[in-house]
Amino acid sequence: MSDVLVYKFGGTSLDGADRIERALQLAQEATERGSGVVLVASAMGATTDTLHELATAGAGDAATIRRLIERHQAVARQLCSGAVLSACLAAIDAVGVELGEQVAALRPWRSPPAATTAAILSTGERLSTRVIAAAAAERGFAATLVDARQLIRTNGDHLEATVDRPATAQLLSAGARPSAGELVVMQGFLGATAEGTTTTLGRGGSDYTASLVGAALAATEVVIWTDVDAVMTCDPKVVPDARPLAQLSYRVAAELAYCGAAVLHPQTIGPAVEAGTPVRVRNPHLGSGPGTIIHAGGDHRGPAAIAFKQGITVVNVTSSRMLDNYGFLRRIFATFEAHRTSVDLVTTSEVSVSMTIDDESALPAIVADLEQIGTVTVEQRQAIVSMVGDGLLEADDVLANAATAINGTPVTLLSLGASDVNLSLVVPDAASNHTVRALHHALLDMQPQLKKETFR
Ligand code: ASP
Ligand code: MG
């Protein structure tokens, strides 16, 4: 079997004829090297937002639909000609008519059934893939347009559908596998139930689609073409010296995603992680470099990045009854569960427990309940600052250098993840930027440059 690459392009990377042209150029470079390519496409630009407004406004907005259709047709005209163009324009018109009917059937001031909303939202990807497939045909390379609704099998939770993984893997393997040098074009974000009603995988779901395809086809790589050049050692807005990372392990990528760094959602890459498929984040612009590869291996030990998240609340519960007793932790966590609030960091001593939450909406009720268990104090406007890396403490002097760097900063809480991937501090929001810069300087600037790696 030939090698398969999955290329996922987000809305921004498909927004206009030039960008679609660039996406196809990248795909063609890969097919010319002999790879089979599956191009998983989002809707163009902010199309899904517009469709969402159409669905929720609950009234037939003919002008908006016309603009949407005309915009896709205008892009098609820039990219195609002759019979390819006429067929594409007709296909876009047909999707437009269908959309018009769906929107006309909506009732003002009443939210539509989820199945109707999903059908309306699916329009964006169905339109973008039509244009892309036609533009590929115009460039003269073998492209097959497949329908994700026949390949991604889901349950009936129409707007946030759960994928039937075994069924989907089989369908993809039989229906989306490109041969050597072939391009398959497919919608991200969409699926369908066994009965054939359209579903969506939740906003931003195209990355997940790409990961499903990559896993099912045992792809060499899933490339998420997006508007960031790479995953950075830190947010460059806070640390101007932040550097791009050539590689990351799945575990570190997952930690960074929680800590507010702009990488992929851990759930998104789940199928790729299970299948051991590398996922690369990369910018389609010419000259923007190889991006960051996220994979199972990674021989780099020690700190890789500093991430942070502001607007955190720390809840402390102290009780002398906790000493030599049992069941306290269960009661404390049951309180958070009852109020549907997720706890992120936890530290305990013999008589106290400290926890962080990022959602304060149930805080008063949580505090009232916890006061039945012990003395409760709350610290708001805090930030989690995380040092992240595989074998974080294996590199020399990490703890000592971190301690020196934060000397004088009031630390509310400190937590070392059991897996040695994440050492997190909680500091006041007001001190967080300074703390992040100091730690980046101490742990990442001073390090010898990471081994330079070259990729295809
Ligand atoms: N078009 C969908 C959205 O905007 C899916 C995606 O782009 O990933 O949410
Ligand atoms: Mg949380």
mmCIF file of all heavy atoms in Angstrom, residues 258 342 344 358, ligand 2:
data_model
loop_
_atom_site.group_PDB
_atom_site.id
_atom_site.type_symbol
_atom_site.label_atom_id
_atom_site.label_comp_id
_atom_site.label_asym_id
_atom_site.label_seq_id
_atom_site.Cartn_x
_atom_site.Cartn_y
_atom_site.Cartn_z
ATOM 1 N N TYR A 258 -4.527 21.988 27.710
ATOM 2 C CA TYR A 258 -5.314 22.460 28.848
ATOM 3 C C TYR A 258 -4.831 23.826 29.312
ATOM 4 O O TYR A 258 -5.620 24.711 29.610
ATOM 5 C CB TYR A 258 -5.299 21.485 30.055
ATOM 6 C CG TYR A 258 -5.886 22.226 31.229
ATOM 7 C CD1 TYR A 258 -7.267 22.515 31.229
ATOM 8 C CD2 TYR A 258 -5.097 22.761 32.230
ATOM 9 C CE1 TYR A 258 -7.819 23.301 32.223
ATOM 10 C CE2 TYR A 258 -5.658 23.546 33.224
ATOM 11 C CZ TYR A 258 -7.013 23.816 33.217
ATOM 12 O OH TYR A 258 -7.551 24.610 34.178
ATOM 13 N N SER A 342 -15.480 21.289 37.318
ATOM 14 C CA SER A 342 -14.297 20.454 37.183
ATOM 15 C C SER A 342 -13.132 21.047 37.987
ATOM 16 O O SER A 342 -12.891 22.250 37.975
ATOM 17 C CB SER A 342 -13.991 20.288 35.695
ATOM 18 O OG SER A 342 -12.644 20.485 35.450
ATOM 19 N N ASP A 344 -9.099 21.197 38.621
ATOM 20 C CA ASP A 344 -7.931 20.954 37.782
ATOM 21 C C ASP A 344 -6.701 20.535 38.562
ATOM 22 O O ASP A 344 -6.167 19.472 38.346
ATOM 23 C CB ASP A 344 -7.686 22.162 36.893
ATOM 24 C CG ASP A 344 -8.854 22.349 35.932
ATOM 25 O OD1 ASP A 344 -9.241 21.354 35.290
ATOM 26 O OD2 ASP A 344 -9.408 23.450 35.855
ATOM 27 N N ASP A 358 -11.684 26.590 37.136
ATOM 28 C CA ASP A 358 -11.654 27.718 36.196
ATOM 29 C C ASP A 358 -13.059 28.219 35.888
ATOM 30 O O ASP A 358 -13.234 29.162 35.120
ATOM 31 C CB ASP A 358 -10.858 27.379 34.921
ATOM 32 C CG ASP A 358 -11.396 26.154 34.198
ATOM 33 O OD1 ASP A 358 -12.536 25.741 34.478
ATOM 34 O OD2 ASP A 358 -10.660 25.624 33.351
HETATM 35 MG MG MG B 2 -11.599 22.255 33.936
#
